[in-house]
Amino acid sequence: MKGKFCALFLALALSASPLGVFADGPTRAGTPEELAAAAADPDCSVIELTADITLSAPLSFERPVTLQSAEAGSFAILADPAFPDDQNLVTFTAGGVLRDLTLNASARAKYAVHAYNCALEVSGCRLEGGRYRGLLVNGANASASVADTAFANNTWAAIEVGSGSAGTPAYGCLALGSGITWDNALVQADISGADPWAGRYVVTDQNYTFPA
C-alpha cells in the first residue's frame, strides 16, 4: 500500500511540474522586438518565426541557433528602407541552422546572411536582395552547407567565400547540395595573400564547377 501511495505521489508531482523543466521548446517570434529578445536569450537555441519581420538594425547570433519558420510556414526577415547600408542583415558567429525562411536584404544590407568563423547549414531558404551577395562565408574555420535554396536579385553573386589574411587555417569552406538556383554568378571568392585554395571548396552539385 505504501508503495502505491509513493507511486501516486510521484505521478502527481511529475504531472504538476512545468514542461520546460524536462523539454525546451522553440521560442516563437512574430515581431522585431520578440526576435531581438530571442537572439539575446542565452537559453534559446531554436527560434521559430510566426510572421514576416522587418529589421531596421542588424541581427547577430553569438551562440549556435536554429532559425526557422513555424509550423511548416514560409516567413521572411526583411531589411527596412532605413537599414544601414554598411551592415549585414543576419550574422551567425557560433554556428547554426537556417531553415525554411526568406531573408531579403532589400538592396540595403550588404549580405542577407553572414556566416563568420563558424559552421552554418542553410536549407529550404531564399536569400535575396543583397547589395553585394546573398551569403558571405568568411573567417577562420568558417564553413557553410547549402541545399534547396534560391538566390535572387543579389548584385554581384549568390555566395561569397572570403579568406582574410594569408596563413589563416581552413577558412571559407563551402559545400553545395542539390536544389540550388541562382540568377547570376553562383560563387565568387575573395582570397587575400598567397594561401592555397585547394581543398577548401567542395562542390556536390554537378551543375557547377569552381573556376581554376
Side-chain angles (χ1 to χ4, degrees), residues 116-208:
Y116 178 70
N117 195 26
C118 68
L120 179 65
E121 176 186 328
V122 181
S123 64
C125 291
R126 182 177 178 88
L127 308 183
E128 61 186 4
R131 281 204 317 119
Y132 290 3
R133 301 166 184 87
L135 171 64
L136 170 62
V137 184
N138 74 331
N141 300 311
S143 65
S145 61
V146 183
D148 300 317
T149 292
F151 295 87
N153 303 316
N154 298 292
T155 300
W156 292 333
I159 303 169
E160 176 185 337
V161 181
S163 65
S165 59
T168 304
Y171 46 73
C173 296
L174 181 65
L176 298 181
S178 61
I180 299 174
T181 62
W182 63 97
D183 57 4
N184 50 17
L186 176 57
V187 179
Q188 291 179 346
D190 180 9
I191 308 169
S192 300
D195 209 53
W197 180 255
R200 295 182 180 172
Y201 180 83
V202 180
V203 176
T204 54
D205 183 346
Q206 298 303 313
N207 293 321
Y208 181 81

